[in-house]
Amino acid sequence: MARIAVIGAGTGAMAAAARLAVAGHRVTVYERTETYGGAVRRFERDGFGFDTGPGLLTLPAVYRDLFIKTGKEPLEDCVELVQVDPSSRHVFADGTQVSLPNASRAGVVAALDEALGAGAGERWGDFLVRAREAWDRTRRPLLEEPLWPNWQVLAGNEPYPGTTYKRLLSRRRVVKLFEIGKWELRDPRLAQLLDGYALAYGVDPATAPASAAVLPYMEHAFGTWYVRGGIRELARAVYERCRKRRVAFVFGAEVTRILEKDGRASGVELGDGTVAEADFVVGQGPWRLRDLTDRQVYGAEAVEPEPEDRYPGRVVVCLALRGAREPGAAHRTVVHAAGGEGDLDLFRHGVLPDLPTTVVDRPDDPALRPDEEHESVVLTATVPSATEYDWAAPGAAAAFADRMVAAAERAVPGLRERVLWREVRTPLDTERETGAVGGAVPPPALAAPEGVLHPANSTAIPGLFAVGGWSHPGGGLPHAGMSGALVAGLIVEGPEFRGSR
């Protein structure tokens, strides 16, 4: 039985802790804040509740596997999973609206044809077929296996089998995601639909490789799910599973140094000077690991860690509304910015869009409202991190929240008149809660040049491993759960571990 110190109580870290405890190890989690969950947080006031991190779950199989492997109670015995239908409603700048059925390619094709005109659905359906090929080619190396030692995933080839364009015959290059919208989808609204999936993950459609097509594919293929009581309930269930497996948690305990002995990690030192010895240390994020040790964390041939703040953050507006949620209202509506150029300026110049693409989440959940005559709504927009924009400037957060509410009112008429109060959360709040520089949010791994690869879960320091969104396979709830499985496998089975099959 090994002693294992885990730094941070994020979802990926807790997933690793539960698996390691089941394998017979003695696991202690040290969390610098007073609660678990990392970015999976909840804000509560006056009987209203709001998810301030992820609002929906894709790939629930990741957490089903975690609960099967760590105890007799399956996931559905611990939380209530609800399949959201429609998976999303979309409002475009020209007033066009479309609701996309959950996990139904035929239903999505029919809905797009009816809303956007004949042929639109077929083009999107053909795109999903190609996206599935990209998923099949990248699923194992990017999600289910430790990062290959030479980290040249797919040898730099673009796994998305896009159509051949005459203009590209004379020069070989990787097709970008936004070019799929221009050349394959051939409708600005379909292009915005595609770009919106990338934007939601903090990925720039103008530079992302075509393999980013896996992002909408995951939603269409595996469905979109809500956890009754809010996504925070999933973090609670993972935390309780850890406690049942006798994982110890120490809250308000900031790790200030990773200890080494005989060339390997040997424990952690806390801010109060306390030393906790360990045979293995699991930390979060290559930059934070670097700051906690005097040695090079990753070798010269490893993936070079990107600065966390090169990625954008999120502004979240929690709205407490008077008046009941109307029957049949969509759980999630995406209000697309006019032309999408404002969103692209976010990545090119760190400029806030005048009318940002805004995600409107309206869960029909009695647990999140004081009574049937009120409603809790969460607005989310992708924005520059706190190192790119001064979110602490007087009035900055409130002014941008006003823009988000104005955008959301295109989907929810009369929204402003219903607001009792609101809570605005910026990347500064994300930085405080997660420690991510500038409050940036990590994107998932993507294949091909100019994609996103995060550093491996194993490091150059024996006994030290990395888990969570800033390490392989990247950000998002499913990816966090996968990182926990990979780290546990590497510790239990050793460097020969190549993922579960």
Side-chain angles (χ1 to χ4, degrees), residues 177-307:
L177 187 69
F178 85 98
E179 292 173 325
I180 294 177
K182 183 185 297 183
W183 297 334
E184 295 185 21
L185 300 179
R186 303 194 305 278
D187 184 308
R189 295 163 297 184
L190 287 179
Q192 277 200 305
L193 179 62
L194 175 57
D195 290 351
Y197 285 100
L199 185 68
Y201 284 95
V203 175
D204 183 355
T207 60
S211 60
V214 300
L215 301 179
Y217 174 77
M218 286 192 296
E219 176 180 304
H220 287 299
F222 306 109
T224 304
W225 302 78
Y226 175 67
V227 179
R228 187 69 67 187
I231 295 294
R232 173 70 176 175
E233 287 298 292
L234 177 63
R236 176 198 56 76
V238 176
Y239 169 72
E240 291 183 355
R241 176 54 54 91
C242 286
R243 294 300 304 270
K244 288 181 179 178
R245 301 286 80 83
R246 299 186 178 180
V247 174
F249 285 81
V250 183
F251 293 106
E254 182 171 8
V255 173
T256 56
R257 190 159 68 96
I258 295 172
L259 306 176
E260 293 184 51
K261 183 178 180 181
D262 299 329
R264 63 174 289 121
S266 62
V268 296
E269 182 178 327
L270 306 181
D272 62 2
T274 301
V275 169
E277 296 182 349
D279 302 296
F280 297 93
V281 175
V282 178
Q284 301 191 51
W287 294 99
R288 272 159 281 178
L289 291 181
R290 181 200 63 182
D291 292 340
L292 295 176
T293 182
D294 297 328
R295 275 218 282 150
Q296 184 72 31
V297 177
Y298 290 96
E301 295 184 356
V303 173
E304 178 67 23
E306 294 280 2

Side-chain angles (χ1 to χ4, degrees), residues 28 51 84 122-123 140 166 224 242 261 275 447 483:
T28 303
D51 279 324
V84 177
E122 182 179 1
R123 291 194 297 275
R140 284 208 63 82
K166 291 182 179 178
T224 304
C242 286
K261 183 178 180 181
V275 169
S483 76

